[in-house]
Amino acid sequence: MTILEAAQALRQRTVSSAELTEAALRRTGEINPKLNAMITMLDQSARAQAQAADRELASGADRGPLHGIPVAVKDVFETRGVRTTAGSVIFMHNVPARDATVVEKLAAAGAVLVGKTGMHELAYGVTSNNPHFGAVRNPWDTDRIPGGSSGGSGAAVSADMVFMAMGTDTGGSIRIPAAFCGTVGLKPTTGRVSRYGVLPLDFSLDHMGPLTRSVRDAAVALAAIAGFDPRDETSSQEPVGSYLPAPDCSIRNLRIGLPQNFYLERLDPDVDMAVRRMAATAESLGARVIPVRVPDIEALNTVGRVILLAEASAVMEKYTGNRDQFGADVLSLLDQGRLLPATDYINAQRLRRVMQREYAQMWSKIDCLFTPTTPMAAPRIGEKTVSLGEFTDDVRLATTRFVRGINVLGLPAISMPCGADRRGLPLGLQIVGRPFDEALILQVAAALEDATGKSARPVPPI
Amino acid sequence: MKNWNKIAEANDLRIPETDIERVAPALDALEAAFRPLTKNIPDDVEPAVTFRVFQEDRA
């Protein structure tokens, strides 16, 4: 069941928020021991919120499609009175006195917060193999990673624990778990969703967005959380659009760019085939698929890595005196950032502007870009490298190769299921749009979802 | 190649030598990829980090 289906059932009185919430708590109770997707459960407050939602709906006070819907947030969003760990031993007992703006907005929309999801330590990695809270596991194969850093959010949505879970994305951390777990994941434009009250990994690359079971559910979630926030200096005053695609949305005559370089290189042939199949589907729906050559994405990724290393190390500098508090992989990244000269950071931020201008030229030729989200399906827990044809790549670098640069450019991007590999593991299609054109990428993704149906939106066996 | 040990020491970063050995190959690779990119940055390009005095004053 999707958010929109549940919302309709709530208004037809065929189900109550209390029943949906009990089902979410029961499912989580059954499955979480296998997946470790949740760090904190909020059974009591969730039940109270659900009863309040039922009372409001019965009295005719309707807060919109999220009203009464069980959701979760990654354990990096501050929740007043509820600990917020960031998956780190440093914040193990951190109980904030405020709610993040996103948490406030979800509450205002009537959503029922049932728990806080597991993640890669400090959101600094792609495996969610957390040394302090244990590995989060992929519902498709519990020996495999769910991706990260929002791995618990991906696993929780994929395994039907909740209808929507919030994630954060600094170098792909919403889109990667969405691809590996077979869900939708939306990273909005920089400034579209407030960062206030979210423990930062980084200053200029962090983005907040939803993971959901369907494209339209992602649109519903974005509509609830988007908007200017004076408490976040990077928040944009760009008006919030109308995001929900129509039931019969058309993509006729839209120009879809299919990269001829970089994005369809060094990847599993199953991924290549799945992305081309989605491009062919788009063409069959009347869109124009235009071959494009993209600017130097390898350089863009390098710039992104310099910025992230420097900024994340600046954020965590005051904690690095006690090195035992960090997992080995995170500590290694923090050390790298501390060793970079300040001039490299400044020049990376200058190169960011240069590359933004180069990339912007593409938008005169196309309306959106299709790429794979990741070059392969979810690796096994503990795997350090992946083999992609004749190449062997580091798991972290391979996993972030197609997504990291989009954060540097600040563009909106969605990952949606696009089928499975030969082992039956889900794969993701990434659709990238112009700044603040979330409505268009949601429209394209919804049209593809409508056309491909359940076959591209698989359900895990767990 | 840069001597990362000496850089750490000069900046009093207190990173154990064995840990620096562990990160040195990654830093060398990043350095090799990043350094050439910086050669052609036009002089008038400012970093994408902004300080807006009006907002700072209001805060």
Side-chain angles (χ1 to χ4, degrees), chain A residues 233 323 344 349-350 353, chain B residues 19 35 42 45-46 48 52:
Chain A
E233 202 190 331
R323 298 173 65 79
D344 280 5
Q349 289 285 20
R350 296 174 74 208
R353 280 203 198 283
Chain B
D19 287 0
R35 195 62 48 213
V45 174
E46 295 195 12
R52 287 180 286 258

Side-chain angles (χ1 to χ4, degrees), chain A residues 207-220:
Chain A
H207 297 73
M208 319 301 143
L211 290 97
T212 55
R213 295 178 196 161
S214 79
V215 172
R216 287 183 178 82
D217 282 2
V220 163

Side-chain angles (χ1 to χ4, degrees), chain A residues 16-49:
Chain A
S16 67
S17 175
E19 287 167 334
L20 290 176
T21 302
E22 281 308 323
L25 294 172
R26 192 169 50 245
R27 174 75 174 158
T28 304
E30 288 165 8
I31 301 294
N32 199 47
K34 294 179 190 158
L35 298 181
N36 194 28
M38 294 282 188
I39 286 183
T40 300
M41 286 303 295
L42 301 166
D43 302 42
Q44 210 177 332
S45 58
R47 287 186 177 110
Q49 287 170 15

Side-chain angles (χ1 to χ4, degrees), chain A residues 412-450:
Chain A
I414 191 168
S415 178
M416 67 176 294
C418 66
D421 74 355
R422 59 203 165 280
R423 296 160 300 189
L425 296 169
L427 303 171
L429 168 74
Q430 177 176 236
I431 306 173
V432 184
R434 293 187 183 93
F436 297 102
D437 212 354
E438 282 84 0
L440 184 128
I441 60 173
L442 284 160
Q443 180 190 340
V444 173
L448 289 172
E449 191 175 68
D450 292 345

Side-chain angles (χ1 to χ4, degrees), chain A residues 159-396:
Chain A
D160 283 349
M161 292 180 184
V162 288
F163 287 84
M164 184 280 285
M166 282 299 304
T168 63
D169 189 319
T170 306
S173 288
I174 289 171
R175 291 158 288 161
I176 293 165
F180 285 176
C181 294
T183 76
V184 172
L186 175 64
K187 183 202 84 67
T189 310
T190 303
R192 178 71 300 167
V193 174
S194 172
R195 301 173 311 143
Y196 177 78
V198 183
L199 298 178
L201 167 59
D202 166 286
F203 300 113
S204 67
L205 299 168
D206 282 357
H207 297 73
M208 319 301 143
L211 290 97
T212 55
R213 295 178 196 161
S214 79
V215 172
R216 287 183 178 82
D217 282 2
V220 163
L222 179 63
I225 60 175
F228 175 66
D229 181 1
R231 296 175 295 185
D232 173 0
E233 202 190 331
T234 61
S235 186
S236 171
Q237 303 214 36
E238 189 79 18
V240 172
S242 173
Y243 297 120
L244 185 61
D248 56 350
C249 63
S250 166
I251 56 171
R252 185 162 292 283
N253 293 326
L254 281 182
R255 300 166 304 167
I256 293 170
L258 189 65
Q260 301 302 292
N261 60 318
F262 189 80
Y263 286 110
L264 293 173
E265 297 163 3
R266 261 174 115 135
L267 76 172
D268 185 326
D270 290 351
V271 176
D272 181 282
M273 209 155 46
V275 170
R276 290 183 194 279
R277 206 167 39 230
M278 292 301 257
T281 302
E283 206 155 33
S284 75
L285 297 172
R288 289 162 51 204
V289 175
I290 299 171
V292 290
R293 289 198 71 78
V294 293
D296 188 349
I297 308 297
E298 205 76 76
L300 189 64
N301 285 341
T302 299
V303 165
R305 286 173 58 212
V306 170
I307 293 170
L308 175 56
L309 286 169
E311 292 188 354
S313 293
V315 172
M316 296 310 295
E317 176 70 23
K318 65 180 174 185
Y319 301 109
T320 50
N322 185 352
R323 298 173 65 79
D324 294 340
Q325 298 179 105
F326 300 97
D329 62 330
V330 169
L331 187 61
S332 162
L333 292 169
L334 293 174
D335 285 344
Q336 290 176 52
R338 296 173 77 210
L339 285 159
L340 286 178
T343 47
D344 280 5
Y345 172 69
I346 296 296
N347 279 331
Q349 289 285 20
R350 296 174 74 208
L351 281 162
R352 187 179 196 175
R353 280 203 198 283
V354 174
M355 290 173 171
Q356 191 181 24
R357 287 170 199 161
E358 283 173 15
Y359 215 92
Q361 291 174 9
M362 228 173 43
W363 300 122
S364 62
K365 302 183 196 108
I366 58 171
D367 298 306
C368 66
L369 184 73
F370 276 19
T371 83
T373 306
T374 59
M376 73 291 172
R380 290 187 184 283
I381 293 170
E383 258 180 347
K384 299 278 184 239
T385 58
V386 287
S387 293
L388 297 165
E390 60 196 280
F391 302 102
T392 298
D393 279 344
D394 170 88
V395 163
R396 190 173 63 88

